[in-house]
Short mmCIF file of all heavy atoms in Angstrom, two decimals:
data_model
loop_
_atom_site.label_atom_id
_atom_site.label_comp_id
_atom_site.label_asym_id
_atom_site.label_seq_id
_atom_site.Cartn_x
_atom_site.Cartn_y
_atom_site.Cartn_z
N LEU U 1 18.12 -4.39 11.00
CA LEU U 1 19.26 -3.53 10.81
C LEU U 1 19.34 -2.89 9.43
O LEU U 1 20.06 -1.92 9.24
CB LEU U 1 20.54 -4.31 11.09
CG LEU U 1 20.62 -5.01 12.46
CD1 LEU U 1 21.96 -5.68 12.65
CD2 LEU U 1 20.33 -4.02 13.59
N MET U 2 18.59 -3.44 8.46
CA MET U 2 18.71 -2.92 7.10
C MET U 2 17.48 -3.31 6.30
O MET U 2 16.87 -4.36 6.57
CB MET U 2 19.95 -3.50 6.42
CG MET U 2 20.24 -2.99 5.01
SD MET U 2 21.75 -3.73 4.32
CE MET U 2 21.22 -5.42 4.04
N GLY U 3 17.09 -2.48 5.35
CA GLY U 3 15.98 -2.81 4.45
C GLY U 3 14.73 -2.02 4.79
O GLY U 3 14.65 -1.31 5.81
N HIS U 4 13.72 -2.15 3.94
CA HIS U 4 12.45 -1.43 4.15
C HIS U 4 11.78 -1.85 5.46
O HIS U 4 11.06 -1.04 6.06
CB HIS U 4 11.50 -1.68 2.97
CG HIS U 4 11.80 -0.82 1.78
ND1 HIS U 4 12.92 -1.01 1.00
CD2 HIS U 4 11.15 0.23 1.24
CE1 HIS U 4 12.92 -0.11 0.03
NE2 HIS U 4 11.88 0.67 0.15
N LYS U 5 11.99 -3.08 5.86
CA LYS U 5 11.33 -3.54 7.09
C LYS U 5 11.84 -2.79 8.32
O LYS U 5 11.18 -2.78 9.36
CB LYS U 5 11.54 -5.04 7.27
CG LYS U 5 10.72 -5.64 8.40
CD LYS U 5 10.80 -7.17 8.41
CE LYS U 5 10.00 -7.75 9.56
NZ LYS U 5 10.00 -9.22 9.55
N ARG U 6 12.98 -2.14 8.19
CA ARG U 6 13.54 -1.38 9.31
C ARG U 6 12.61 -0.22 9.72
O ARG U 6 12.61 0.21 10.87
CB ARG U 6 14.92 -0.85 8.96
CG ARG U 6 15.57 -0.07 10.07
CD ARG U 6 17.07 0.13 9.86
NE ARG U 6 17.61 1.11 10.80
CZ ARG U 6 17.88 0.86 12.07
NH1 ARG U 6 17.66 -0.34 12.57
NH2 ARG U 6 18.36 1.80 12.86
N VAL U 7 11.79 0.24 8.79
CA VAL U 7 10.95 1.43 9.05
C VAL U 7 9.72 0.99 9.85
O VAL U 7 8.72 0.53 9.29
CB VAL U 7 10.56 2.13 7.74
CG1 VAL U 7 9.74 3.38 8.04
CG2 VAL U 7 11.80 2.46 6.92
N TRP U 8 9.79 1.14 11.14
CA TRP U 8 8.75 0.66 12.06
C TRP U 8 7.37 1.26 11.77
O TRP U 8 6.39 0.53 11.70
CB TRP U 8 9.17 0.94 13.52
CG TRP U 8 8.29 0.32 14.54
CD1 TRP U 8 8.41 -0.88 15.14
CD2 TRP U 8 7.08 0.91 15.10
NE1 TRP U 8 7.41 -1.12 16.03
CE2 TRP U 8 6.57 -0.03 16.01
CE3 TRP U 8 6.41 2.10 14.91
CZ2 TRP U 8 5.41 0.22 16.74
CZ3 TRP U 8 5.26 2.34 15.62
CH2 TRP U 8 4.76 1.43 16.54
N PRO U 9 7.21 2.58 11.63
CA PRO U 9 5.85 3.13 11.45
C PRO U 9 5.21 2.73 10.13
O PRO U 9 3.98 2.60 10.06
CB PRO U 9 6.06 4.64 11.55
CG PRO U 9 7.51 4.86 11.24
CD PRO U 9 8.22 3.65 11.74
N TYR U 10 6.00 2.55 9.08
CA TYR U 10 5.41 2.13 7.80
C TYR U 10 4.82 0.73 7.95
O TYR U 10 3.75 0.43 7.40
CB TYR U 10 6.47 2.15 6.70
CG TYR U 10 5.93 1.81 5.32
CD1 TYR U 10 5.12 2.69 4.63
CD2 TYR U 10 6.24 0.59 4.72
CE1 TYR U 10 4.63 2.39 3.36
CE2 TYR U 10 5.77 0.27 3.45
CZ TYR U 10 4.97 1.17 2.78
OH TYR U 10 4.48 0.85 1.52
N ARG U 11 5.51 -0.12 8.68
CA ARG U 11 4.99 -1.47 8.92
C ARG U 11 3.73 -1.42 9.79
O ARG U 11 2.75 -2.11 9.56
CB ARG U 11 6.06 -2.33 9.56
CG ARG U 11 5.75 -3.83 9.52
CD ARG U 11 6.94 -4.67 9.91
NE ARG U 11 6.67 -6.08 9.64
CZ ARG U 11 6.89 -6.67 8.46
NH1 ARG U 11 7.39 -5.98 7.46
NH2 ARG U 11 6.60 -7.95 8.28
N PHE U 12 3.76 -0.56 10.82
CA PHE U 12 2.62 -0.46 11.71
C PHE U 12 1.34 -0.09 10.97
O PHE U 12 0.26 -0.63 11.25
CB PHE U 12 2.89 0.59 12.81
CG PHE U 12 1.78 0.73 13.79
CD1 PHE U 12 1.80 0.03 14.98
CD2 PHE U 12 0.68 1.55 13.54
CE1 PHE U 12 0.75 0.14 15.89
CE2 PHE U 12 -0.36 1.69 14.43
CZ PHE U 12 -0.32 0.95 15.63
N ASP U 13 1.42 0.81 10.03
CA ASP U 13 0.24 1.29 9.32
C ASP U 13 -0.21 0.38 8.16
O ASP U 13 -1.14 0.73 7.44
CB ASP U 13 0.47 2.71 8.77
CG ASP U 13 0.45 3.78 9.87
OD1 ASP U 13 -0.18 3.50 10.92
OD2 ASP U 13 1.06 4.84 9.68
N ALA U 14 0.45 -0.76 7.97
CA ALA U 14 0.17 -1.59 6.81
C ALA U 14 -1.29 -2.06 6.76
O ALA U 14 -1.92 -2.02 5.72
CB ALA U 14 1.12 -2.79 6.78
N GLN U 15 -1.80 -2.51 7.90
CA GLN U 15 -3.18 -3.02 7.91
C GLN U 15 -4.18 -1.92 7.55
O GLN U 15 -5.16 -2.16 6.84
CB GLN U 15 -3.53 -3.62 9.26
CG GLN U 15 -2.89 -4.96 9.54
CD GLN U 15 -1.58 -4.86 10.28
OE1 GLN U 15 -0.94 -3.79 10.29
NE2 GLN U 15 -1.15 -5.94 10.92
N GLU U 16 -3.93 -0.71 8.04
CA GLU U 16 -4.85 0.37 7.71
C GLU U 16 -4.76 0.73 6.23
O GLU U 16 -5.79 0.97 5.58
CB GLU U 16 -4.57 1.60 8.58
CG GLU U 16 -5.58 2.71 8.35
CD GLU U 16 -5.61 3.75 9.44
OE1 GLU U 16 -4.79 3.66 10.40
OE2 GLU U 16 -6.45 4.67 9.36
N ARG U 17 -3.57 0.73 5.67
CA ARG U 17 -3.44 0.96 4.22
C ARG U 17 -4.15 -0.14 3.43
O ARG U 17 -4.77 0.14 2.41
CB ARG U 17 -1.96 1.05 3.82
CG ARG U 17 -1.23 2.25 4.36
CD ARG U 17 0.10 2.49 3.63
NE ARG U 17 0.96 1.30 3.66
CZ ARG U 17 1.80 1.00 4.64
NH1 ARG U 17 1.90 1.78 5.71
NH2 ARG U 17 2.56 -0.06 4.56
N ALA U 18 -4.08 -1.36 3.93
CA ALA U 18 -4.76 -2.47 3.23
C ALA U 18 -6.26 -2.26 3.22
O ALA U 18 -6.93 -2.51 2.19
CB ALA U 18 -4.39 -3.80 3.89
N LEU U 19 -6.82 -1.83 4.33
CA LEU U 19 -8.26 -1.56 4.39
C LEU U 19 -8.62 -0.39 3.52
O LEU U 19 -9.66 -0.37 2.83
CB LEU U 19 -8.69 -1.31 5.83
CG LEU U 19 -8.60 -2.51 6.77
CD1 LEU U 19 -8.96 -2.10 8.20
CD2 LEU U 19 -9.49 -3.66 6.30
N MET U 20 -7.77 0.62 3.48
CA MET U 20 -8.02 1.77 2.59
C MET U 20 -7.96 1.33 1.12
O MET U 20 -8.62 1.95 0.28
CB MET U 20 -6.97 2.86 2.87
CG MET U 20 -7.10 3.51 4.25
SD MET U 20 -5.67 4.55 4.69
CE MET U 20 -5.87 5.87 3.50
N GLY U 21 -7.20 0.28 0.86
CA GLY U 21 -7.11 -0.25 -0.50
C GLY U 21 -8.22 -1.22 -0.86
O GLY U 21 -8.21 -1.75 -1.97
N GLY U 22 -9.13 -1.48 0.07
CA GLY U 22 -10.29 -2.31 -0.24
C GLY U 22 -10.25 -3.72 0.29
O GLY U 22 -11.19 -4.50 0.05
N MET U 23 -9.21 -4.12 0.99
CA MET U 23 -9.13 -5.48 1.52
C MET U 23 -10.27 -5.69 2.52
O MET U 23 -10.63 -4.81 3.29
CB MET U 23 -7.78 -5.71 2.22
CG MET U 23 -6.60 -5.75 1.27
SD MET U 23 -6.61 -7.22 0.18
CE MET U 23 -5.14 -6.87 -0.80
N ARG U 24 -10.81 -6.91 2.50
CA ARG U 24 -11.93 -7.24 3.38
C ARG U 24 -11.47 -7.47 4.81
O ARG U 24 -12.20 -7.16 5.77
CB ARG U 24 -12.64 -8.48 2.86
CG ARG U 24 -13.95 -8.77 3.59
CD ARG U 24 -14.71 -9.88 2.89
NE ARG U 24 -14.10 -11.17 3.14
CZ ARG U 24 -13.93 -12.10 2.21
NH1 ARG U 24 -14.29 -11.87 0.98
NH2 ARG U 24 -13.39 -13.26 2.51
N GLY U 25 -10.30 -8.02 4.97
CA GLY U 25 -9.83 -8.34 6.33
C GLY U 25 -8.34 -8.13 6.50
O GLY U 25 -7.58 -8.05 5.53
N VAL U 26 -7.94 -7.99 7.76
CA VAL U 26 -6.52 -7.82 8.10
C VAL U 26 -6.22 -8.60 9.37
O VAL U 26 -7.09 -8.77 10.24
CB VAL U 26 -6.16 -6.33 8.31
CG1 VAL U 26 -6.08 -5.59 6.99
CG2 VAL U 26 -7.14 -5.64 9.25
N ALA U 27 -4.99 -9.09 9.44
CA ALA U 27 -4.56 -9.87 10.61
C ALA U 27 -3.32 -9.23 11.21
O ALA U 27 -2.50 -8.64 10.52
CB ALA U 27 -4.28 -11.31 10.21
N PHE U 28 -3.18 -9.39 12.53
CA PHE U 28 -2.15 -8.73 13.32
C PHE U 28 -1.37 -9.77 14.11
O PHE U 28 -1.91 -10.80 14.51
CB PHE U 28 -2.77 -7.76 14.33
CG PHE U 28 -3.66 -6.72 13.70
CD1 PHE U 28 -4.96 -7.05 13.31
CD2 PHE U 28 -3.24 -5.42 13.54
CE1 PHE U 28 -5.80 -6.12 12.74
CE2 PHE U 28 -4.06 -4.45 12.97
CZ PHE U 28 -5.34 -4.81 12.58
#
C-alpha cells in the first residue's frame, strides 16, 4: 500500500538490473 516496494515493474526488473550491474547470479 505504500513505499518503493509498491512499484511492481521496478521490482520485476531487479534481477535484470543486477545482471547488468555485473552480478554473477540472481534468484527468483
Side-chain angles (χ1 to χ4, degrees):
L1 305 183
M2 183 179 71
H4 280 70
K5 189 171 179 177
R6 181 165 169 77
V7 183
W8 188 93
Y10 184 72
R11 195 169 190 87
F12 181 94
D13 286 336
Q15 287 93 340
E16 185 162 3
R17 292 195 306 274
L19 293 176
M20 293 168 68
M23 292 291 178
R24 189 171 74 223
V26 286
F28 304 77

